[in-house]
Amino acid sequence: MSRVEVNVEEQLLHKSHEVNLSDGTVETIVQQVPEKRYHIHSHLLLNYNNGHQQKIPVHCRIVLPTFYISPETVQFGTCLVGQTSHLTVRLINPSNSPLRWT
């Protein structure tokens, strides 16, 4: 049985983004965002037909994306049948890891 060692590291990223306010002004928000990194260390054991074994070290690093939605809540107010109402919601990924929305 192979032993897997997993180390979790969390660091704070300093990120900023701009938000367009309803009065036409732009607000810059600077915040600290936690980013988790996983370091995995293990071995791959290869067994050959001649009875020999080969142990290959395996190391990987995984960085998980951190995201948030702005604004956190959306209020459309009263919207009657047949009427439309539009609001902008932003999905923000301040981490160094790519994030796709589908």
Side-chain angles (χ1 to χ4, degrees):
M1 171 90 30
S2 180
R3 191 176 134 242
V4 177
E5 179 184 327
V6 179
N7 298 316
V8 180
E9 171 188 313
E10 189 168 308
Q11 68 178 20
L12 289 176
L13 303 175
H14 296 277
K15 295 291 181 171
S16 66
H17 67 278
E18 293 182 346
V19 175
N20 295 319
L21 302 176
S22 58
D23 64 359
T25 61
V26 176
E27 180 180 357
T28 300
I29 299 174
V30 179
Q31 58 190 166
Q32 292 182 330
V33 179
E35 179 181 72
K36 283 194 176 179
R37 296 172 181 243
Y38 293 87
H39 300 275
I40 300 172
H41 305 281
S42 186
H43 290 90
L44 176 64
L45 188 60
L46 300 177
N47 293 309
Y48 295 97
N49 289 337
N50 63 5
H52 285 94
Q53 290 184 337
Q54 186 177 10
K55 192 175 184 182
I56 301 173
V58 177
H59 305 280
C60 72
R61 184 176 59 161
I62 301 168
V63 179
L64 298 178
T66 301
F67 69 94
Y68 57 94
I69 296 175
S70 176
E72 290 183 16
T73 59
V74 179
Q75 294 293 332
F76 285 98
T78 304
C79 188
L80 302 174
V81 175
Q83 286 183 322
T84 59
S85 182
H86 300 274
L87 293 173
T88 301
V89 177
R90 295 178 64 189
L91 178 64
I92 301 164
N93 176 16
S95 67
N96 292 325
S97 183
L99 177 66
R100 277 186 290 212
W101 183 267
T102 57

